[in-house]
Amino acid sequence: MIHMNRRSLLKSSFMPLAGALGLPSLSHAVQEASTPYRRPKLKITEVRTAEVRVHGYQVHVRVYTDQGIVGQGETTDASQGNVPLIQSFARMLVGQDPLNIEAAFERIRTSGVFAGAQAGQYVTALTGVEIALWDIAGKALGLPVYQLLGGKVRDRVRIYCDSGAREMIPGNEASKARIRQIQELGFTAAKIDIDDATDPARFDRVNWTASNGEIDHMIAKIAFTRELYPKNIDLAVDMHARYDATTGKRVAKEVEPFKLMWLEEPVPAENIDAMREVRASTSTPICCGENIYMRWGFREILEKRAADIIMPDFQKTGGLLEARKIADMAHTYYVPVAPHAVTSPVGMMATAHVCAAIPNFLVQEWHWIDSLDLWRNWVKEGEIIQKGFIAMPERPGIGVEMNDDGARKAQVPGTPWFVKRA
């Protein structure tokens, strides 16, 4: 056994050996590394951004410090308009200690109470900054982020594959090839979409009440997919919150024989009573929450038992600590968490740190099967998903570093790439 005293452990203020040698417990790490007169003293110097487009539009955030430690974060979906918001946040961050993450988050959130700080672009932009601060904290203290979130309860995080752009069309050879590809990659769970604006049985361009023909097509896609996957691969189905309660209840009832992992957002999640009505009508597990923000957004969903599974997106719901709070709140209702995730390996790994630390984690999404070359070259560490799982790293911080040469292939034309602001 290696014995370390405070002097030997903190010979360097950043503890570069902490990850290599290991620490007996989080409490020991806090005692040794967070003593006020020994803790790394850092100040934020600037915040920079880069914009990419792969599965939608994302903003990457880098927070710089006066001692050379740089943290990285990522935002998604509600990212349009994030760059000027993040630059406005920088004025409240520069000169501050990046290790005081909760204080920074609350200072920015409460300052925007009249500027949209309840949801949407504001919270999404704040999320990217918050994740970057966690990356700094882990690097400064020599610990993986999951250790700072309470320690890991699992060594690897299960990932499910969204089947991507290809529709699951019964008998279609491209659809069969995609199903084979997902199995060959080693995933133990997959998801398909059954909402289709171009369905020939759809009679109204605006109203999404599904006709009998549309519902027949939905069920045929599920039956085709379920038949080709072995029973040990779980199947989820997404309706993308496009339908009304009448359709949601009909589909949820029709799919019961398939024993889905879940039916996702048969109705928009903002009408919680409608979602609860769908859930009460079926034995099919109902999942929702990818467009819900912070724990206040999930409170009523949980209180009204409107969903069997929640799926917050940790790259826009408020950050990693907020994600932990949402998961803990769900745990009191015995509701599992299956995070929505459509980001790069940076955001995926950040999400995985929370998933490793929460008891009620179910499975995490992956949505880059149509962009495999970009995915595998996005970070210096290469492929982070092995046989359908992310193994949690021992490296400090998030544990991956962006490969700029690879990631810049997805740069939004005409936008700056982590350029220093005047």
Side-chain angles (χ1 to χ4, degrees):
M1 178 180 293
I2 299 173
H3 296 280
M4 295 177 285
N5 57 34
R6 180 175 300 170
R7 183 180 299 277
S8 63
L9 183 62
L10 290 172
K11 188 174 183 181
S12 165
S13 62
F14 301 127
M15 302 191 309
L17 296 179
L21 295 177
L23 291 168
S25 68
L26 179 61
S27 62
H28 182 73
V30 171
Q31 178 185 355
E32 293 294 298
S34 296
T35 305
Y37 67 88
R38 300 293 274 174
R39 187 180 65 195
K41 291 177 173 59
L42 304 171
K43 286 186 178 180
I44 297 170
T45 57
E46 59 179 314
V47 182
R48 303 181 192 176
T49 58
E51 299 160 71
V52 302
R53 191 181 300 278
V54 185
H55 183 75
Y57 169 84
Q58 282 96 25
V59 173
H60 285 264
V61 183
R62 287 180 183 168
V63 177
Y64 295 76
T65 67
D66 61 347
Q67 297 195 35
I69 298 178
V70 179
Q72 56 189 351
E74 184 174 2
T75 77
T76 192
D77 286 354
S79 298
Q80 297 286 351
N82 275 191
V83 171
L85 279 168
I86 290 167
Q87 292 306 319
S88 73
F89 299 162
R91 293 192 289 271
M92 290 179 272
L93 291 168
V94 171
Q96 299 298 312
D97 185 343
L99 302 188
N100 294 325
I101 300 171
E102 181 88 358
F105 181 91
E106 281 300 293
R107 184 166 58 250
I108 295 171
R109 186 186 70 83
T110 54
S111 72
V113 68
F114 298 109
Q118 294 76 31
Q121 293 177 343
Y122 195 102
V123 174
T124 299
L126 178 54
T127 297
V129 170
E130 195 261 12
I131 294 170
L133 295 180
W134 278 108
D135 194 30
I136 290 173
K139 290 171 178 175
L141 298 173
L143 292 169
V145 169
Y146 62 74
Q147 197 71 65
L148 303 176
L149 292 172
K152 60 183 177 180
V153 296
R154 57 188 58 84
D155 294 322
R156 59 180 190 162
V157 169
R158 186 190 185 202
I159 306 297
Y160 75 87
C161 179
D162 191 298
S163 57
R166 285 188 179 83
E167 285 250 38
M168 290 297 117
I169 302 171
N172 180 270
E173 291 304 318
S175 298
K176 292 179 181 179
R178 177 50 55 92
I179 291 171
R180 287 194 299 270
Q181 181 187 16
I182 291 170
Q183 292 181 75
E184 289 165 0
L185 289 170
F187 290 97
T188 61
K191 186 168 77 178
I192 64 169
D193 304 334
I194 59 171
D195 54 301
D196 183 5
T198 65
D199 192 310
R202 187 167 180 239
F203 301 119
D204 192 301
R205 185 175 61 85
V206 176
N207 182 16
W208 280 77
T209 303
S211 68
N212 288 337
E214 284 180 272
I215 293 176
D216 286 347
H217 294 160
M218 293 177 186
I219 302 306
K221 289 177 182 179
I222 297 170
F224 163 74
T225 309
R226 182 65 276 177
E227 183 179 354
L228 289 181
Y229 278 124
K231 289 184 178 180
N232 64 341
I233 293 183
D234 291 322
L235 180 65
V237 170
D238 195 352
M239 297 178 72
H240 280 121
R242 301 192 192 279
Y243 296 92
D244 55 21
T246 299
T247 301
K249 285 187 287 187
R250 290 184 65 192
V251 173
K253 196 69 176 175
E254 293 257 10
V255 302
E256 286 179 349
F258 298 105
K259 298 181 179 179
L260 299 180
M261 185 163 61
W262 67 69
L263 181 66
E264 186 172 323
E265 301 204 329
V267 295
E270 56 263 31
N271 189 327
I272 295 168
D273 289 332
M275 187 73 73
R276 179 179 62 179
E277 186 180 343
V278 174
R279 186 198 175 211
S281 72
T282 182
S283 62
T284 300
I286 301 299
C287 179
C288 72
E290 67 180 88
N291 294 312
I292 302 297
Y293 294 85
M294 299 189 293
R295 58 194 180 276
W296 295 278
F298 286 91
R299 179 187 60 81
E300 191 178 359
I301 292 172
L302 293 167
E303 287 179 350
K304 290 187 172 181
R305 314 296 201 272
D308 298 280
I309 301 159
I310 60 167
M311 55 179 314
D313 190 316
F314 297 172
Q315 268 64 61
K316 68 182 183 187
T317 197
L320 305 189
L321 185 56
E322 189 67 21
R324 168 94 220 200
K325 292 174 182 178
I326 292 167
D328 288 343
M329 189 166 65
H331 199 199
T332 66
Y333 292 90
Y334 312 117
V335 171
V337 176
H340 178 259
V342 296
T343 52
S344 78
V346 174
M348 279 289 290
M349 186 62 85
T351 293
H353 277 271
V354 181
C355 295
I358 58 175
N360 53 328
F361 165 71
L362 178 60
V363 66
Q364 176 179 330
E365 184 173 15
W366 178 67
H367 212 313
W368 278 41
I369 194 167
D370 290 318
S371 306
L372 284 177
D373 287 341
L374 264 177
W375 170 265
R376 290 165 176 163
N377 292 293
W378 199 273
V379 293
K380 296 175 182 177
E381 291 74 16
E383 180 61 79
I384 63 170
I385 301 176
Q386 301 294 336
K387 296 297 182 182
F389 289 84
I390 292 177
M392 297 313 300
E394 296 295 329
R395 295 182 296 275
I398 292 174
V400 293
E401 295 292 334
M402 182 187 286
N403 170 21
D404 284 45
D405 290 339
R408 288 199 73 163
K409 293 177 181 178
Q411 182 178 0
V412 175
T415 60
W417 189 263
F418 299 115
V419 172
K420 182 179 176 67
R421 299 280 171 163

